[in-house]
Amino acid sequence: MSNKAKYKTAPLKCWKKAKELRLKYYDDYAKAHERGGLRWAGGAWTFSAIPSGLGEDVVSLTSEPYGASIAYNKEFSLRCLEATEKKGYARDLCSYMRNYWGSILLDEYVFGGPFPKPDFLWQDHICCSHAKWYQVVSDLEGGIPHFCIDVAVGPYEEVAPHKVDYLVAQMHDGIEWLEKTTGRKYNDELLIEAVKNEFRSTSKWAEICALNKNIPAPLEEKTMYSLYVLGTLNKHDKSTADFYDELRDEVQERVAEGIAAIPNERCRLMSDTQPPWGFLSIFRYMEQFGALSVGSLYTFGLVGIWEDKPDGTWGPRTTPMDQGIEIKDRDQALRLYADWMLSKPEWQHFYSPHIKTEMMIRIAKEWHLDGVMLHYNRGCEGLSVGIAENRLGLIEAGYPVMAFEGNMGDEREFDEARVKDRFDAFMETLDMKK
Amino acid sequence: MASQVGLDQETFETFRNWRIKRAEYAKQWKERTGGKIIGYFCTYVPEELLYAAGILPVRILGSHEVQDVTEPHIFAMFCPFCRDCLAQGLKGRFDYLDGITIAQSCLHIRQSYTSWEKHVPVDFSYYLPMPHHVQSKHAVPFLIKELELFKAKLEQWLGRKIEDKAIEEAVEIYNRNRQLMWRVFELRQGESPPLTGEEAMEVVLSSQMVDKREHNAALEKLLGRLAERTTDRPTGTRLMILGSEDDDIEFIRMVESCGATFVIDDHCTGTRYFWNNVEPNSNQLAGIAERYVKRVPCPSKDWPERTRVPHVLELARKYDVQGAIVMQQKFCDPHEIDTPALTKALNDAGIKTLFLEFDVTVPIGQFKVRVEAFLEMLQEDDLF
Amino acid sequence: MITAGIDIGAKTIKVVLAEDGKVLGKSRVLAGIDTAAATQTALDEALANAGLTKEKVDRFMATGTGRKDCAITDREITEVGAAAKGAVHIHKACRSVVDVGAEEGRMVRCNERGKVIDFAYNEKCAAGAGTFAEGMARALQVTVEELGSLALQSKEAVQMNAQCAVFAESEVVTLIHNKTPREAIARAVLDATASRIISMVRKVGFEKDFVLIGGVALNPGFVKAMKRGLESDVYVPEDPEYIGALGAALAAAE
């Protein structure tokens, strides 16, 4: 197969807007107090729609994307990591958090100015450290009220009323706690709005990812990172839901016109776990071979909410609104929200790598993949859990696998030259030449 | 065993033999009773339920031997303990198990379970989604429902009901074991504890491997003997050890040969295992659920408050601890996150700490140098 | 056709000159800091060894971790590809190759034509097999070669941390202080090194025949530890450290 350009390609029109939305998010957080609003911090997976009931001036800082933003700035990241280590925290802890904690310790916000202290912490817990991250944040900031919801009730295929009840009961407690902590009255209408936005944005993101089943793929993963990030910042916000509508239209258009992400596509791969954020250039290196990553369970399933479609394929989950369900009160909103989140693909593998392998094989089939690159990510236990079993399972299913070690947020643990070397060898086994 | 000078050996022989010959014991038990054996990976597994079903629950622990069989299954950034455990399965050392089970705790040990499930087939396997938010009032009702599901699965497998009466009896036997353990451990509060940390560890570890009825009988005998046990072994510096899973007898022995005695611990292979009782409850499962939710937590479940901090300080006070060894399995995140806060609390309370990172095998000589320096520092504190 | 394979490794540079699968000449020099100069020296020495001039060489091919810095040619093959080609050429029944050098261990499974089917590198925690053995030899005040023969004399198997070289190193210190016989320590060091490599081998899964290449294959104690651990015969070619360069020379002729 030749490595010549055979598809037309064009830059993404939405790109600039995604960038603007992201910067606005970080700016809004920094300026919230000036505007009389409230700031909270928590994970990208948390039930972010819930604090929205406190008012439209309540904004968040999600820690993982913030840690990734720091990782992208290698000089600052190194200072952050060292500050955290000096304080006695182990080097093998989550590297997003080590960046984030370092930024607090140095009192420097990566987007400029001093670090903006949150008013409260709002988190969920599925890996064995999620809630504990914020114990540290609270320690470092001299005490911040902290609420966390346990979502580890088992895989969605075994969902049962008592599991949803457990989440919903904690959410109700959480709302009471929010009122007490902030002294504000909670507004259920704002909650319902935010929950609906989140259903819309997370379903839409899945729809966008599904369009990448097309050959040639309209998007490649490095670009997707800049788009999916909005779903890790503000998935419950109208701006994100609206943006994904616009993006879906554009990607659909690209498919209709045969516009490819790379002109020489001939080897379709997927990655796994967060990429080494300081070294996204490896994705460009791959393109020299005509290889691209069309996504991953990570980019598809961390933000996107999916379901089995009648034809047996994987597609965006139908929102309660599209099912004609009218959301009338707090309890109903929370119940639907809990069920929705429990079906998040990226939450399933916590219980068993075999569930994840099945999902990966499904992606490999439906997205027409030639191979898989597994990032053995030393920066994240949560997504690397069971990764060696995934490797075995994929090989057993007949997919060539390249494994490489690295770290999403600690550049000291990523050896760019060696990873490129591994990639060369992988391409050699697939008979791909530059 | 140089460290045991001044102590008779036979008092703890039963326990030591049970630990060392765990496979032999299990096989004989099976032959003797015709019952089934289930291996469990974490002390959050409600053993009472298994015991009530006539099953012998045994904890799966590692062997502290170098191995080369787990790299295909578990990425090396996870703790050495979880790899050591899986290696035992892959090498067929637990070939007498009829089933395996785990209660949800950390991600590390979970992988031993999920890989074992796939590559070392057993008749029965069950993942119990033990809640993490144990400080929430909703954790108990949730766990009751999960225990009902677990019980139903066990009944289906065994082909018979697990009667309330049987659960009640199992709870009684387990509570009895806990009370007896308490009494043994209380003896360590005395000025001259009649047992060493090594011996205490033997007692707890063996309790995770054998039928609690037999263990209870042995404990009662032990209590009788300990009351009369006279020892000319000097206690030396009174130490506490705390941290992640730890069954490294060799390390404990080394430290206690340097002029120190471990008088208390906070380990899931120690006090955390038996500290809390099942309180009487007309609903047996509710009583059990309550016990496991409210027990001294593993750090992975200790949030938003760090309740282990006051607990550890209280232990240190009660047992008159002069110094603490904070150990941790390499890469154990839940403990790593707690260590700075816990160390600070201990230091603020005037208890100095020595931090050590454990692997499957520990560099005993190097650790000895550090331990000696630590003890020297504590003894100097005593002088001035 | 005369071809040259140039293997630029972490510590040494190896050159093999070949014609129709036959080795005409070879050389090995320390890589040092100036890779370009060392590569030139290695090539000159190999040419001298073969009694050839550079003009007689039709094609060049670089391999090894430093192949991208090769000043002589920009044609390259990965060390994984070169190892498979070289090993199958030397030993036709070879289906698994383990390459253990100073810094890295690699496991390659290949077909009868020397094409790579799957491969793995040692994980970061278990890196530095060759360097580790050297350092430990220094601690025991013997050469690496002596370490191997010492190990063969030991009847005792002492446990040592197999995962982490840093942990293992401190265990060696303990063993020395405990007056453990040098033979037993030497064996423990090589057993631990082999155990780390075998972990990686198991990851890819091995098929017979099994060929061991790279500088560490010259150590008989290590080879024995590998045989013991794998419970399998292990074939060691005559010049195990040159197999990568040979593979590159063969690939150049294709």
Side-chain angles (χ1 to χ4, degrees):
Chain A
M1 224 190 320
S2 101
N3 188 16
K4 289 215 183 85
K6 52 182 172 177
Y7 303 114
K8 58 183 169 184
T9 179
L12 202 66
K13 286 179 247 166
C14 283
W15 176 265
K16 212 173 134 239
K17 189 162 181 192
K19 265 183 122 162
E20 286 165 7
L21 283 169
R22 176 172 167 270
L23 290 176
K24 181 176 180 303
Y25 170 84
Y26 287 111
D27 192 53
D28 283 349
Y29 177 77
K31 295 198 177 119
H33 282 181
E34 288 169 33
R35 297 168 183 163
L38 290 176
R39 291 196 289 238
W40 63 271
W45 293 355
T46 194
F47 296 94
S48 58
I50 294 178
S52 297
L54 291 172
E56 278 159 338
D57 57 350
V58 176
V59 295
S60 69
L61 179 72
T62 49
S63 322
E64 302 94 323
Y66 180 66
S69 298
I70 294 175
Y72 195 74
N73 180 341
K74 287 183 201 164
E75 178 275 327
F76 182 55
S77 173
L78 191 60
R79 284 201 293 126
C80 288
L81 295 168
E82 287 177 352
T84 302
E85 280 154 25
K86 242 187 250 161
K87 198 79 186 161
Y89 293 95
R91 244 179 107 141
D92 54 278
L93 287 170
C94 169
S95 56
Y96 282 159
M97 290 310 120
R98 289 185 289 123
N99 277 321
Y100 171 41
W101 300 340
S103 165
I104 296 174
L105 283 162
L106 297 171
D107 195 22
E108 287 178 54
Y109 192 46
V110 71
F111 299 96
F115 185 82
K117 181 181 167 180
D119 301 304
F120 62 90
L121 302 166
W122 179 258
Q123 170 66 330
D124 68 321
H125 183 96
I126 194 168
C127 92
C128 48
S129 317
H130 274 141
K132 304 193 71 69
W133 293 345
Y134 298 95
Q135 291 181 319
V136 175
V137 170
S138 179
D139 287 348
L140 299 182
E141 293 274 25
I144 305 178
H146 173 194
F147 194 89
C148 180
I149 294 171
D150 175 16
V151 300
V153 295
Y156 191 63
E157 60 192 31
E158 291 165 16
V159 76
H162 75 277
K163 296 181 192 253
V164 177
D165 287 347
Y166 175 49
L167 264 68
V168 172
Q170 293 177 79
M171 290 168 160
H172 278 296
D173 285 0
I175 290 174
E176 235 175 78
W177 177 89
L178 284 171
E179 285 190 313
K180 220 162 61 195
T181 304
T182 64
R184 288 194 179 193
K185 179 106 191 71
Y186 196 80
N187 181 336
D188 287 338
E189 268 165 43
L190 288 176
L191 166 74
I192 292 168
E193 241 349 272
V195 166
K196 283 174 157 177
N197 285 333
E198 187 161 332
F199 291 153
R200 198 152 65 87
S201 67
T202 51
S203 172
K204 200 62 71 179
W205 175 253
E207 191 180 337
I208 294 161
C209 296
L211 287 167
N212 240 17
K213 292 180 185 178
N214 285 289
I215 298 175
L219 296 172
E220 52 77 41
E221 198 170 22
K222 183 173 181 293
T223 309
M224 292 170 89
Y225 292 139
S226 311
L227 305 168
Y228 102 113
V229 71
L230 300 175
T232 69
L233 304 175
N234 241 345
K235 54 191 181 342
H236 61 280
D237 199 74
K238 186 168 179 300
S239 65
T240 305
D242 288 348
F243 175 77
Y244 284 160
D245 276 345
E246 199 181 322
L247 176 64
R248 192 273 320 263
D249 292 347
E250 190 186 341
V251 177
Q252 227 164 25
E253 216 177 276
R254 285 172 77 93
V255 171
E257 290 175 18
I259 297 174
I262 67 166
N264 55 339
E265 169 181 325
R266 59 176 181 152
C267 177
R268 293 165 68 93
L269 306 171
M270 72 169 154
S271 71
D272 186 46
T273 86
Q274 306 89 328
W277 291 108
F279 300 93
L280 294 180
S281 59
I282 49 169
F283 287 92
R284 293 287 167 261
Y285 180 74
M286 287 162 54
E287 288 167 15
Q288 296 177 17
F289 293 87
L292 88 165
S293 174
V294 300
S296 57
L297 182 65
Y298 167 71
T299 31
F300 294 175
L302 188 144
V303 168
I305 302 290
W306 300 72
E307 71 185 4
D308 290 328
K309 292 298 180 189
D311 65 356
T313 62
W314 219 29
R317 183 166 170 187
T318 311
T319 63
M321 295 84 81
D322 286 345
Q323 290 173 51
I325 297 169
E326 197 196 331
I327 307 178
K328 291 183 195 129
D329 58 30
R330 180 189 295 183
D331 187 68
Q332 187 196 8
L334 296 180
R335 205 157 282 280
L336 288 167
Y337 194 17
D339 183 87
W340 184 263
M341 287 280 266
L342 284 175
S343 73
K344 187 192 281 292
E346 198 62 293
W347 279 2
Q348 311 309 313
H349 76 266
F350 280 92
Y351 309 105
S352 165
H354 315 309
I355 300 178
K356 179 172 164 192
T357 301
E358 273 170 38
M359 288 190 288
M360 291 178 95
I361 292 172
R362 173 175 209 166
I363 294 174
K365 279 186 190 145
E366 291 185 28
W367 274 256
H368 316 288
L369 301 188
D370 303 295
V372 184
M373 303 182 296
L374 297 179
H375 179 202
Y376 278 44
N377 182 355
R378 302 184 74 88
C380 179
E381 265 89 22
L383 298 197
S384 292
V385 70
I387 196 165
E389 287 291 344
N390 300 139
R391 179 182 166 277
L392 293 176
L394 285 161
I395 289 173
E396 199 181 302
Y399 291 97
V401 177
M402 166 197 159
F404 65 102
E405 258 182 285
N407 190 311
M408 66 197 178
D410 187 341
E411 67 147 326
R412 296 168 302 185
E413 294 205 294
F414 188 79
D415 185 334
E416 190 177 7
R418 258 185 204 180
V419 170
K420 284 182 176 167
D421 200 50
R422 305 277 187 283
F423 193 76
D424 288 352
F426 187 52
M427 287 293 104
E428 247 175 45
T429 65
L430 297 177
D431 290 325
M432 298 282 163
K433 290 204 172 67
K434 270 188 211 170
Chain B
M1 268 174 281
S3 65
Q4 302 306 325
V5 170
L7 286 180
D8 57 289
Q9 292 300 301
E10 66 272 27
T11 308
F12 288 90
E13 210 177 297
T14 317
F15 302 100
R16 191 173 297 122
N17 278 337
W18 274 337
R19 177 182 64 83
I20 293 167
K21 298 178 182 162
R22 60 192 95 166
E24 228 168 277
Y25 173 87
K27 285 174 184 167
Q28 281 166 7
W29 181 92
K30 220 168 166 171
E31 218 167 278
R32 184 149 46 89
T33 64
K36 293 189 190 299
I37 303 185
I38 282 188
Y40 67 91
F41 289 90
C42 169
T43 53
Y44 271 99
V45 167
E47 287 180 56
E48 291 88 342
L49 205 49
L50 299 170
Y51 197 79
I55 295 165
L56 175 68
V58 298
R59 185 166 183 187
I60 293 168
L61 292 172
S63 67
H64 298 281
E65 283 166 32
V66 172
Q67 53 88 7
D68 55 29
V69 294
T70 57
E71 189 169 319
H73 306 285
I74 300 180
F75 177 22
M77 69 179 278
F78 291 93
C79 82
F81 172 63
C82 73
R83 282 179 271 129
D84 197 4
C85 286
L86 176 61
Q88 304 314 305
L90 295 172
K91 288 176 160 181
R93 300 249 176 93
F94 278 87
D95 56 358
Y96 47 85
L97 295 185
D98 300 288
I100 53 168
T101 184
I102 189 169
Q104 181 166 268
S105 52
C106 74
L107 298 176
H108 300 249
I109 193 68
R110 192 174 304 173
Q111 293 174 103
S112 320
Y113 169 81
T114 50
S115 286
W116 192 305
E117 191 186 24
K118 175 150 184 174
H119 303 284
V120 193
V122 281
D123 216 26
F124 178 85
S125 62
Y126 197 83
Y127 180 103
L128 177 71
M130 171 72 206
H132 287 305
H133 199 174
V134 292
Q135 291 173 25
S136 162
K137 60 179 183 286
H138 308 295
V140 170
F142 170 69
L143 183 57
I144 293 172
K145 289 279 181 200
E146 287 297 335
L147 291 181
E148 284 169 9
L149 290 175
F150 185 28
K151 179 169 167 259
K153 261 279 151 53
L154 282 167
E155 289 173 337
Q156 193 192 345
W157 177 51
L158 297 167
R160 61 168 188 270
K161 296 276 300 166
I162 304 172
E163 302 295 341
D164 268 4
K165 190 89 198 85
I167 301 177
E168 200 183 325
E169 200 188 337
V171 165
E172 240 167 65
I173 290 165
Y174 268 71
N175 274 349
R176 175 86 189 131
N177 191 256
R178 292 172 182 131
Q179 285 148 13
L180 291 166
M181 295 291 264
W182 262 77
R183 284 173 53 196
V184 171
F185 270 57
E186 256 166 20
L187 296 172
R188 301 168 78 191
Q189 290 178 8
E191 205 175 304
S192 173
L195 72 162
T196 62
E198 178 188 345
E199 289 165 339
M201 188 178 259
E202 293 283 15
V203 174
V204 187
L205 289 176
S206 59
S207 82
Q208 300 183 337
M209 293 160 185
V210 305
D211 193 321
K212 288 283 194 291
R213 273 193 192 89
E214 290 171 52
H215 203 262
N216 286 347
L219 280 176
E220 281 178 37
K221 220 185 273 169
L222 175 70
L223 278 163
R225 293 191 67 160
L226 287 180
E228 294 157 15
R229 196 185 203 195
T230 50
T231 153
D232 49 14
R233 178 187 178 279
T235 303
T237 306
R238 300 174 67 91
L239 293 179
M240 173 178 204
I241 183 161
L242 61 150
S244 42
E245 188 283 335
D246 175 19
D247 56 316
D248 202 315
I249 295 261
E250 199 194 337
F251 173 79
I252 301 285
R253 186 182 302 147
M254 179 276 283
V255 175
E256 293 191 320
S257 74
C258 299
T261 302
F262 285 107
V263 292
I264 194 65
D265 72 84
D266 178 54
H267 278 319
C268 62
T269 39
T271 56
R272 276 215 292 282
Y273 177 62
F274 64 82
W275 211 246
N276 308 73
N277 267 328
V278 176
E279 299 302 332
N281 195 312
S282 55
N283 176 347
Q284 295 296 339
L285 294 186
I288 294 174
E290 187 112 358
R291 189 265 163 193
Y292 284 88
V293 165
K294 295 192 175 157
R295 59 166 271 195
V296 181
C298 160
S300 70
K301 296 185 191 295
D302 199 23
W303 51 266
E305 299 304 321
R306 283 199 191 90
T307 64
R308 257 180 79 234
V309 172
H311 172 68
V312 163
L313 291 178
E314 178 60 13
L315 286 180
R317 191 191 61 76
K318 254 194 180 158
Y319 285 79
D320 192 17
V321 164
Q322 292 165 291
I325 291 185
V326 180
M327 64 67 68
Q328 169 214 305
Q329 291 283 335
K330 211 161 67 158
F331 306 128
C332 172
D333 306 64
H335 279 280
E336 279 174 348
I337 296 191
D338 272 359
T339 297
L342 204 51
T343 307
K344 185 176 179 302
L346 283 163
N347 294 344
D348 288 350
I351 297 163
K352 291 197 168 128
T353 52
L354 172 69
F355 176 77
L356 293 172
E357 212 177 28
F358 277 35
D359 204 328
V360 170
T361 58
V362 299
I364 211 80
Q366 194 194 44
F367 278 9
K368 189 169 183 198
V369 173
R370 296 188 205 178
V371 167
E372 282 169 345
F374 179 60
L375 292 172
E376 202 174 274
M377 181 177 76
L378 294 178
Q379 283 148 11
E380 276 168 16
D381 285 354
D382 256 8
L383 285 175
F384 303 106
Chain C
M1 190 196 308
I2 297 177
T3 59
I6 305 164
D7 179 0
I8 305 178
K11 223 182 129 193
T12 57
I13 297 172
K14 282 81 60 178
V15 173
V16 165
L17 295 163
E19 185 175 28
D20 302 328
K22 272 212 274 307
V23 176
L24 305 177
K26 62 183 189 209
S27 75
R28 181 176 60 154
V29 302
L30 282 175
I33 295 166
D34 187 349
T35 310
T39 310
Q40 193 56 54
T41 309
L43 179 62
D44 291 343
E45 283 181 13
L47 288 167
N49 180 257
L52 291 169
T53 56
K54 194 179 171 192
E55 292 67 41
K56 295 272 190 234
V57 181
D58 297 290
R59 287 180 192 168
F60 297 87
M61 178 80 82
T63 187
T65 43
R67 67 181 183 277
K68 286 189 173 23
D69 300 326
C70 182
I72 290 160
T73 175
D74 57 6
R75 297 191 63 204
E76 54 174 88
I77 179 169
T78 63
E79 54 270 34
V80 163
K85 275 208 183 356
V88 171
H89 180 75
I90 290 285
H91 187 80
K92 290 280 170 283
C94 166
R95 294 296 172 267
S96 301
V97 194
V98 166
D99 183 354
V100 189
E103 281 311 316
E104 247 181 358
R106 294 178 278 269
M107 159 75 187
V108 188
R109 216 147 47 77
C110 58
N111 67 12
E112 70 289 349
R113 287 176 290 116
K115 186 176 153 27
V116 177
I117 296 169
D118 194 8
F119 65 90
Y121 288 74
N122 56 225
E123 289 184 1
K124 198 181 164 98
C125 279
T131 310
F132 169 65
E134 268 179 34
M136 293 306 94
R138 264 199 305 277
L140 292 173
Q141 298 180 323
V142 295
T143 64
V144 185
E145 291 72 27
E146 287 165 345
L147 187 74
S149 37
L150 263 183
L152 291 179
Q153 291 162 31
S154 172
K155 287 178 194 75
E156 222 181 314
V158 181
Q159 287 263 349
M160 186 179 293
N161 192 301
Q163 175 75 20
C164 172
V166 180
F167 260 62
E169 202 161 335
S170 44
E171 283 184 44
V172 169
V173 177
T174 304
L175 293 174
I176 293 174
H177 287 164
N178 285 353
K179 311 254 182 299
T180 310
R182 281 201 315 175
E183 294 78 15
I185 302 178
R187 175 169 163 185
V189 165
L190 293 172
D191 280 354
T193 310
S195 173
R196 266 179 259 153
I197 298 296
I198 291 167
S199 279
M200 171 187 76
V201 169
R202 294 204 196 282
K203 194 161 152 187
V204 176
F206 77 95
E207 247 181 281
K208 289 182 183 176
D209 286 0
F210 195 99
V211 174
L212 192 60
I213 66 169
V216 183
L218 289 168
N219 188 319
F222 174 74
V223 176
K224 188 158 179 206
M226 287 292 289
K227 285 182 184 167
R228 216 170 17 230
L230 286 170
E231 295 171 3
S232 159
D233 231 2
V234 169
Y235 181 84
V236 182
E238 202 177 316
D239 289 317
E241 73 272 44
Y242 287 98
I243 303 302
L246 171 65
L250 296 169
E254 282 174 10

